[in-house]
Structure formats: structure tokens, C-alpha cells
Amino acid sequence: MQNLKPDMNLHCNPAQKRAIMHDKGPACVIAGPGSGKTFVIIQRIISLTRMGVNPGSILTITFTKAAAIEMQQRFIKETNSVYPEVLFGTFHSIFYHILNSDKLTIIKETDKYKVLSHILHGRDYDSEMIRLMLSEISRLKNSGLCPEERDKAVPFYEDFPKIYEEYLIILKEQGLIDFDDMVLLCRDYLLRRDDVRKKWQERLAYIQIDEYQDINMMQFEVIKLLLGKDRNLFVVGDDDQSIYGFRGSDPELMLGFKDHFEDAKEIILDTNYRCAPKILEASKSIIDENKIRFKKDIKAGKKGDLGIITGKSFSDKKEQYKSIIKEIKSFEANAKMASKEDVTLSDFSIIVRTNVEATAFAGMLGEAGIPCSYKEKVVAFHEKAAVKDMISYLSFIHDGQKRSDFLRIMNKPVRYISRAALEGKEKIEEKDLLLFYARQSKINMTTTVQKLFRDLKLMSKLSPKGAVHFIRGFMGYDKYLKDKFCASAKVLEGHMSDLDEFEKLCENFRDYQDLKEYIEELDKTLEVMRNVKVCDKKGVRVMTMHASKGLEFKRVYLPDLNEGIVPSRKSITSSEIEEERRMLYVAMTRAKEELHLSYVKGSKENPMRMSGFLRPIRDLFRDGNIDDILIK
């Protein structure tokens, strides 16, 4: 076996060296952002081979295929392809290989929606409810819980156990499994077959896991079954970057590593080589507010420039976005004049909480002629279900009383208006509906129709904001939502949040025509974004906080840091709030040299609050200078 020559001049800090030189037994490496965790993992593989370990017995597990490929390529480059037998893969690819079954067929994501749609046939549901149910099914499987232990906010709470069981039966009948089933099947297979378990324990003598804070209970159980007598498990992660609770990931598995492996070594990589000192100190002051975490004192590894961090407030979102765009355009102009090539727009990132905000920002950059890269799903705010109902109400009364609009609103709230009453009509008029129900001698329905059209007439005289407020309150739309989603708190909270934001947006429009023109322009922008991939590699990177994990940029903008957005209104429990704070910490620590934070303060009539997470650095937003607060 060809050996690499010992690297006597390997440049690393003492903590990195302790991790790299770790040989046998369990070890937990707590690696903060920019601390060189990938460097440590690769160098440890090299170190093990120098100690005489069989390269084919070393497995490194990642959570994504892209991460596995990137790490493998870095290892190959570092070792000049000397050890191609070293294994890299995702949990699912490794478990699939262990199962070694050609009969397993993974169900497509779109087919999952079709299966649940079939089960829910005849019920009142939408795609968002299906998404939440699939997420809960996944969480239960990954956590090893039964359907009776479901989240109280899941749609169709009472019937969920039956729906869950029917979902499993349909998949089994069709010979399908999902990715979560693969983990469960692998666990059961290894428990059932001692011979297979021992074979893989001998084969995989050294197991490394990257981003260990994202592991879930079922994955952990399979890993334990794969460990041999020496229990050579080397995990690397950062509990402060655990942001996938909705997938079932459990940071407690990292925090409690020594409870499972009493003799485990614990190594903290305490030097951040990415963030400038000001940015690091601000980020630390925020994450230190979390209670459930390893206490650690991360130091800045960068020397010289302290970096730039700013905090700004704006009267509304439009002003905020325009300010960011103006700064970027100013940089573009100055860079061209100075012929600078060391910093490009691809070194800039705008990181937001959700895909809706990311889509809006990417669209505005496009309109301003600023190249950008946006790889996530294009989601428009006005395409949200409850917002579409509001638009249909407004469109019906102002835009020709179209059948399509009436179909959407006629029973929201429930009025028991029948589709048969609309038969053969493209324009829906009060007199036609009254005639239909009069012929059936349904006096109560004629009263209902008269009230609806009387309300619509009153609504037609109001501004867009006034009309939305009228529909939600006087016409009973909010009560309709509360009744419909009484057992689905998260769905209800999402719809109410969307309506609040839409009602606020409507303040900007004098009449329906203004609003209609805005939506039409937005639709044109979205059409372009959906048909033409917004992926200019030289452009500003626009993404969500979740998507930013693992990336870094010279300049980062974090807008919309308002209470109700960060943390999300949907986050209620202390653990959910702490995960939201971790998400902000992840976003802040993507910045290498400059970090620009902002929030919307609103108006006197409609004030908005700065995120409570920013309390430790609130003085930054008073005078724009954080030197005296954080830099000692």
C-alpha cells in the first residue's frame, strides 16, 4: 500500500491538530463557522492512512450529495488521487448500499403529493396543508415516533393517525419507499441480520460524520449499529448551526454525545478564520442568548482589518430595498471606474428569511439591471392561498364579476352557494342567483345572496386596504379561517400572517387599478424569472437563511430583521425560538468583511418592531457605530 509522506509542516492551530491526530475511539469536534472543519476531516483521513489504517475502511458521511462530492474532490486533490478507495457518501446513499436491494423504488416528491391528495379526496385542503403533513410524517419517522405523538399544529390533527397509516399502506402496495423509510429499513435489517451487521462493522472501521448537529434519532441508531468494538466514530459539527428541526434533526444528540459515549474526546475548534472581528463579536453576542448549547469562546483568526458592520432602520420595505440596491449600484460604478477585480458582485449576498422575500428581491435586482443568482423556488406573495382570495374578491367587484373569481370566493366564508347556480354564466349577477334559488323556493338562500351582493357593493367604495379589512372583519373571512384551521395552528398562523402583510401592502395603492397594475407587473417579472434561469454566476447571490449555510461572502445584507419575520410568527416554543436565533447566527456568520443589518420601523399609524434577537447589539441601530459596544 502506497503511503503519503508525513507532513511535518502542516499549518494548523493546536485544536485542529488534536482533532487531526485523533486515532481510536469516539470523538466530538465542535467546529464553529469558519473554523476549518472540512480541512480537519480531510487531514484526519490522511493522518489515519499514515498510521497504517486501510483507506477502504474509512467512511465520511455528509447530509447532501453536493457536500459529499465536494469533500471527495478536495481529498483527491490533496492526496493526488493516491487513495481512491476512501469512501464518501450521504446517509441515504450508504444505507441504500447496505440494503443492496434492486427491488426498492424511491417515490418522487410530486407523487407523495398525489398520494396524499388521493387520501384527502372530498376534504377541504390545499398544497400547503399537504406540505405540512408530509413534513410531519417525515419528522415522526426520523424521530422514531408513532403518529399518536404528532404535532398539535398538523392539519387534520384528529384524523392524522389514520391518514398516516393509509399513506404507508399505499406506498407498500405500490412497492415504494421514501428516503425516511430507507433509514428505518436499514436499521431493522441490521438488527435482524447479525452476519450483515458484523460484515459492515468490519468493513467500516472508521466512521466520520460532517454537520453532526443535523443528525436525527433514526440515523443515529443506524450509525450505532455500524460501530465495531473500538467505536471509531468521529463527528464534526456546530450546535449553534442546527437549523433543520422541521426535518427531525436533534441538536441534543450532539450536546449529549458524551451521554452515549462516556469516554469520548471533546475538541472545540475555537478560531474563526472567516469573519472579521467586529462581525464575529456581534454574532457571538446574539447566539450567547441561547440556553441549550455548548458554551464556547470563539476567537477571530483574522488579523488587521476589524471589518464593517452597520445597522439601519427604514420606514418601509420599499425604502429598505431601494437603499440596498443603491449601495450595490454605487459599488458597481466605482468598481468600473477603478477597474477593481478583487471584489465582484458574486462576493455580495442578500440573505432573507423566506423564498417569498428572496423572489421579490431577485425581481427588484433584475428590474434595476443588477445581475443576480437566485437558485431557489420562485414564490410570489400574491400567489399565497389567502391572498389570492382577497384579490379575487377585489377583482370580482371591480373587474367584470367573472365566474372564476366568484367560484373562489362564494363560500369563503361558507354560504352554501351551489356551483349549479352558476351554470352557463361567465358573468355572475345577483339577479341570476336570486332567480335560481327562487325557483327552488329556497328563501334563506335568496337572503344570503342579497347580503353578499350588498356587502360587495359596500366594499367596492373602499380603498384596497379598506376593502381587505372589510372582507376579513365585517364579511367574516378571518373567522372562516379560524373555524377551518382550528386544529391546524401553524397553517392558520401562516394564512393570518400573509393577510396582515397583504393588508399592509395595500396601503400603497389608491384604488384597485393601482393594485392590479402592480400585480400585473409582478406577474411579468415572475414569468421571466420562471422561464429564464436567474443564475448569473457573476451576480449578487440572493438566498434564504437555510440555503446560506456552508457559504461565505465578502459583503452580506440581512434585511427585514423584524419581529414576526425573524423570529417567524410560527415559532412559539422556546426550542423553536432558539432555532430561529441559530438561523440568524448562521446568516450573520456568512459575512467575511462587511455585514449590513436592517429592519423596517413602519409608520406612526402602523409601527413595526425590530427583532428581539438584535437586542444585544441594539446600540448599533442608534448611532451606526458598534466599536465601543463590542470591540474592546
Side-chain angles (χ1 to χ4, degrees), residues 243-297:
I243 58 174
Y244 294 113
F246 62 92
R247 294 181 187 168
S249 67
D250 185 359
E252 294 282 355
L253 290 169
M254 183 168 194
L255 293 166
F257 192 78
K258 280 197 167 184
D259 295 335
H260 297 282
F261 306 99
E262 292 180 5
D263 57 336
K265 280 189 182 177
E266 194 174 274
I267 303 165
I268 297 178
L269 302 186
D270 58 358
T271 305
N272 179 311
Y273 295 100
R274 176 190 299 153
C275 304
K278 285 186 180 182
I279 295 168
L280 180 60
E281 290 302 315
S283 305
K284 281 167 57 179
S285 68
I286 284 174
I287 198 62
D288 280 347
E289 297 290 302
N290 271 7
K291 308 298 180 191
I292 307 170
R293 64 188 291 262
F294 285 117
K295 292 296 178 184
K296 50 187 93 73
D297 183 22

Side-chain angles (χ1 to χ4, degrees), residues 297-311:
D297 183 22
I298 306 297
K299 302 182 292 288
K302 280 189 170 183
K303 306 298 179 186
D305 190 1
L306 294 177
I308 296 171
I309 178 167
T310 66

Side-chain angles (χ1 to χ4, degrees), residues 118-180:
H118 168 73
I119 295 169
L120 297 173
H121 181 69
R123 301 174 191 245
D124 192 1
Y125 68 92
D126 56 31
S127 60
E128 175 64 7
M129 294 173 75
I130 290 182
R131 185 189 70 78
L132 289 168
M133 293 179 77
L134 287 172
S135 178
E136 181 63 5
I137 289 170
S138 178
R139 187 189 71 83
L140 291 171
K141 288 182 179 181
N142 287 323
S143 304
L145 302 174
C146 63
E148 284 69 30
E149 296 173 275
R150 64 205 178 278
D151 190 302
K152 289 183 179 178
V154 70
F156 302 110
Y157 175 81
E158 292 297 331
D159 295 335
F160 182 81
K162 291 179 182 177
I163 294 168
Y164 180 93
E165 293 302 330
E166 192 171 346
Y167 173 80
L168 296 185
I169 289 168
I170 291 174
L171 261 61
K172 188 174 182 179
E173 286 175 348
Q174 296 185 11
L176 299 169
I177 64 167
D178 57 26
F179 282 114
D180 304 317

